[in-house]
Amino acid sequence: MEEVFWLVGDIIVGIDIGTSKVASVIAEINNFNQLEIIATAECKCFGMKKSKITDENEIASAIEKTISEVEIQSNIKINSAYVTIPGKYVQIVQNSIVKEAKDKFAGITSKDVNSAMLQLRDIDLPEDKVIIDIIKNQFSLDNGRIIEDPVGALSSTVTLTGQVILADKDYVRQLTSIFKKAGIEIDGIIPNVLAQRSVILDVNELNDNVMIVDIGAGNTDIGVFNAGTFVYANTIPLGGDNITSDIAQIFYITEDEAERLKKQYSLALKSFIDNDTDILLTTYKGDQKNKTIKSSELIEVIEARIEEIFALINKQITNMGIKSNINNVILTGQGITSISKSDVAGKIVLNIPVKIATGRMISIVKPAYRSSYAVVRYVSNRPYAKNIASKIDIKSNESFMKTILERIKEFFYT
């Protein structure tokens, strides 16, 4: 078993910044060493568009509101939190380190392992990137044996393979500015799809070659994992709200009615229509008083946008040369999973099996809080971390950027 240094009573706070809302979750490691949600809150927020931060003040205000609400629910003063980052701003560097044991007769020590973890982050860092995470992939001994925890193993060397996760420096600066305005420190920055992996995948999918497709309101985050190794992340600036906008514009009705019709006739493929019924448009802005359309016309609009989203995903993974290694696509996100046959539509475009996520952790938390909960869960299972707990004591007056870098370093290693 991997060495995990969380303690009973540790409080972990996760914040997800989406294109339509900010959601926060507070969880605690209980006496049974389980993660227990103690408070959740969400606030509408439109400070991010097409995965770009467009209004720092609006996002900061939404963070303040959700934190204030969870503080009231939990009776805890929160000073720091972990936050999600879209795949668009993430770069993954594969790395491998060979560490010699100080005493091969004594075996591999925890110091050897910790030193290897430190060395894993020694890469040529581009000027526009910062390191936000280091992921241990596997340890192997001098005889080639792969081992979960090498401490105590009799071997002259231990080889560590893993991923160094980089983030766009400018985006991190924007997050820093936002959280400073909200009066909250950043404990760590976690790629959304990486956090989601342990929540939405079944046990047999965790070590498969899979692509996670998380379709939200305004963005689609994708993450590719080869046998559990994180190899690719990106973001497409389209989501469920685009379907709503399409319906509103094409049929000349309000966004509210378009959203209602999307939910009522939620079908991704026109070929699956059982009964092509008439739909009376109640907010039609044209000259006709009683404008009627066919349900097939509505579903054709939904189908076209979903097809475009999957086509853009297909183009990305094809251009990156990683499509052939993907065995299954796991579909999640509030922007798509309520639309029937969306998995079938995805399979047609991608020519890869597609299924709606069925991970056993999905039912634990409401969809609105799934990303922020996924961050908390990811952090709680972090091996070899020096400290994972969010700060619930009096805030520090240190430089926010300096504080963030120090907190992230603690998140990497002991």
Side-chain angles (χ1 to χ4, degrees):
M1 293 295 290
E2 292 174 336
E3 195 172 2
V4 180
F5 288 97
W6 40 253
L7 299 172
V8 171
D10 270 355
I11 301 293
I12 308 170
V13 183
I15 297 176
D16 174 54
I17 301 172
T19 52
S20 64
K21 71 179 187 311
V22 167
S24 296
V25 167
I26 304 180
E28 180 181 13
I29 307 296
N30 65 23
N31 292 329
F32 301 99
N33 287 327
Q34 296 172 332
L35 193 64
E36 182 179 336
I37 297 174
I38 56 179
T40 60
E42 65 174 314
C43 177
K44 287 186 178 181
C45 178
F46 302 98
M48 181 181 284
K49 293 179 181 178
K50 295 184 177 181
S51 73
K52 294 182 180 179
I53 293 171
T54 55
D55 191 331
E56 291 186 7
N57 291 329
E58 181 169 354
I59 297 173
S61 177
I63 290 172
E64 281 188 278
K65 288 176 183 177
T66 59
I67 290 298
S68 178
E69 189 172 331
V70 292
E71 284 179 336
I72 292 170
Q73 292 177 37
S74 62
N75 198 30
I76 293 172
K77 174 62 179 170
I78 295 166
N79 297 309
S80 69
Y82 295 88
V83 62
T84 55
I85 183 172
K88 175 181 179 179
Y89 302 103
V90 173
Q91 181 180 334
I92 305 160
V93 177
Q94 307 294 330
N95 201 9
S96 179
I97 295 296
V98 179
K99 185 70 179 176
E100 289 189 5
K102 286 188 176 181
D103 183 351
K104 65 180 181 180
F105 299 106
I108 305 299
T109 67
S110 58
K111 284 186 177 181
D112 294 328
V113 173
N114 293 332
S115 178
M117 292 290 288
L118 280 168
Q119 286 182 253
L120 195 66
R121 68 192 300 271
D122 291 337
I123 62 169
D124 291 330
L125 185 64
E127 289 186 4
D128 62 341
K129 305 293 181 185
V130 293
I131 298 174
I132 59 169
D133 200 359
I134 295 174
I135 304 171
K136 188 266 325 170
N137 192 28
Q138 69 177 27
F139 292 104
S140 57
L141 305 179
D142 56 9
N143 60 4
R145 178 187 166 204
I146 295 172
I147 190 168
E148 190 74 17
D149 185 355
V151 175
L154 295 177
S155 177
S156 60
T157 63
V158 61
T159 301
L160 168 62
T161 59
Q163 296 81 52
V164 183
I165 311 301
L166 311 181
D168 184 275
K169 187 179 288 185
D170 287 337
Y171 187 86
V172 172
R173 283 197 183 109
Q174 282 189 289
L175 282 182
T176 302
S177 175
I178 288 168
F179 275 74
K180 185 174 182 179
K181 291 174 182 178
I184 300 291
E185 293 180 13
I186 297 177
D187 290 321
I189 302 169
I190 317 296
N192 179 45
V193 285
L194 177 62
Q196 291 257 25
R197 178 176 172 268
S198 65
V199 173
I200 69 170
L201 298 186
D202 287 331
V203 174
N204 62 325
E205 293 166 346
L206 285 171
N207 293 312
D208 193 6
N209 294 354
V210 302
M211 176 169 67
I212 293 173
V213 175
D214 180 10
I215 302 181
N219 289 329
T220 295
D221 250 16
I222 64 174
V224 178
F225 298 85
N226 286 347
T229 298
F230 194 23
V231 297
Y232 181 71
N234 212 332
T235 306
I236 294 168
L238 294 173
D241 285 354
N242 296 95
I243 300 172
T244 302
S245 295
D246 290 346
I247 295 169
Q249 291 174 18
I250 289 171
F251 299 114
Y252 207 36
I253 58 177
T254 64
E255 292 269 339
D256 287 344
E257 182 174 19
E259 180 69 15
R260 179 180 62 78
L261 291 177
K262 182 183 75 172
K263 291 179 179 178
Q264 184 176 352
Y265 297 90
S266 57
L267 187 61
L269 292 167
K270 191 170 66 172
S271 57
F272 282 87
I273 293 175
D274 291 329
N275 185 15
D276 195 5
T277 58
D278 290 333
I279 301 173
L280 178 64
L281 304 179
T282 60
T283 63
Y284 182 66
K285 301 172 186 176
D287 295 331
Q288 292 177 248
K289 289 185 177 179
N290 297 310
K291 174 68 174 177
T292 301
I293 63 170
K294 288 289 188 180
S295 59
S296 57
E297 295 177 77
L298 174 71
I299 293 163
E300 190 172 7
V301 174
I302 298 173
E303 180 177 344
R305 182 60 86 173
I306 291 176
E307 181 180 340
E308 181 189 12
I309 292 172
F310 282 113
L312 289 171
I313 294 171
N314 189 56
K315 183 178 179 180
Q316 280 192 8
I317 59 177
T318 300
N319 289 344
M320 292 300 297
I322 56 177
K323 180 178 177 179
S324 60
N325 291 329
I326 300 171
N327 296 332
N328 291 288
V329 176
I330 312 300
L331 196 57
T332 186
Q334 287 184 278
I336 193 71
T337 50
S338 62
I339 300 177
S340 180
K341 305 300 179 183
S342 54
D343 52 340
V344 179
K347 182 179 179 180
I348 291 171
V349 176
L350 297 171
N351 197 28
I352 305 172
V354 179
K355 59 167 282 192
I356 304 295
T358 56
R360 62 185 181 87
M361 304 303 300
I362 286 178
S363 61
I364 288 178
V365 65
K366 293 179 180 178
Y369 302 110
R370 191 168 295 156
S371 291
S372 43
Y373 170 76
V375 166
V376 169
R377 182 170 174 79
Y378 173 81
V379 171
S380 72
N381 288 320
R382 191 71 166 80
Y384 304 102
K386 183 177 181 181
N387 178 38
I388 63 166
S390 297
K391 290 185 179 180
I392 55 173
D393 52 0
I394 298 173
K395 291 193 289 291
S396 167
N397 290 321
E398 297 176 76
S399 160
F400 261 69
M401 194 66 180
K402 180 181 177 182
T403 302
I404 288 169
L405 293 175
E406 290 303 316
R407 293 287 289 174
I408 291 175
K409 283 180 182 177
E410 287 186 349
F411 184 51
F412 289 155
Y413 49 79
T414 57

